[in-house]
Amino acid sequence: MGLLDILGFGSKTNSIQEFKEKGAVIIDVRTVDEFKNGHITGSKNYPLGSLSSKINDIKKANKPVIVCCQSGMRSSQAASLLQKNGIEVINGGGWSSLQQKL
């Protein structure tokens, strides 16, 4: 792990593949309407504003989480929230670019 990885600027592709191999759940934190207009097949839609109410459900799944949104800003906030609650999480960034990495 290099300095860039520690700072969160390393290669996300490798980390995403590692999470995927561990059976990670993909959570899309965009609005319901945004999600309806396109999303990663099999992903769950928990809009950022309601994510805190889903923490216990996410913990019960006992799986790592990859969060995504439109550009990576909301998913960054979501990743921080989940991490603070003891959930193994990575910010996958924008959903369309994440889809290409999967």
Side-chain angles (χ1 to χ4, degrees):
M1 177 180 271
L3 179 60
L4 291 177
D5 294 315
I6 292 168
L7 296 173
F9 297 111
S11 172
K12 271 191 198 174
T13 303
N14 291 340
S15 298
I16 288 168
Q17 289 304 321
E18 290 170 16
F19 269 59
K20 185 179 168 190
E21 289 168 10
K22 293 194 265 185
V25 174
I26 299 171
I27 297 177
D28 189 321
V29 297
R30 295 177 297 151
T31 66
V32 172
D33 287 337
E34 287 175 302
F35 187 79
K36 285 180 184 176
N37 287 326
H39 59 272
I40 296 171
T41 303
S43 62
K44 298 177 186 269
N45 182 219
Y46 297 155
L48 182 59
S50 63
L51 185 62
S52 58
S53 69
K54 301 289 186 183
I55 297 288
N56 287 333
D57 294 336
I58 296 167
K59 282 185 172 184
K60 285 179 189 173
N62 198 30
K63 293 187 179 224
V65 174
I66 302 171
V67 287
C68 64
C69 63
Q70 186 64 37
S71 66
M73 296 301 290
R74 286 176 280 182
S75 56
S76 175
Q77 293 174 37
S80 179
L81 173 67
L82 295 176
Q83 189 174 34
K84 286 178 185 174
N85 282 278
I87 297 168
E88 184 179 9
V89 62
I90 187 171
N91 179 3
W95 76 272
S96 57
S97 64
L98 175 60
Q99 188 170 33
Q100 294 171 0
K101 294 174 189 170
L102 297 171

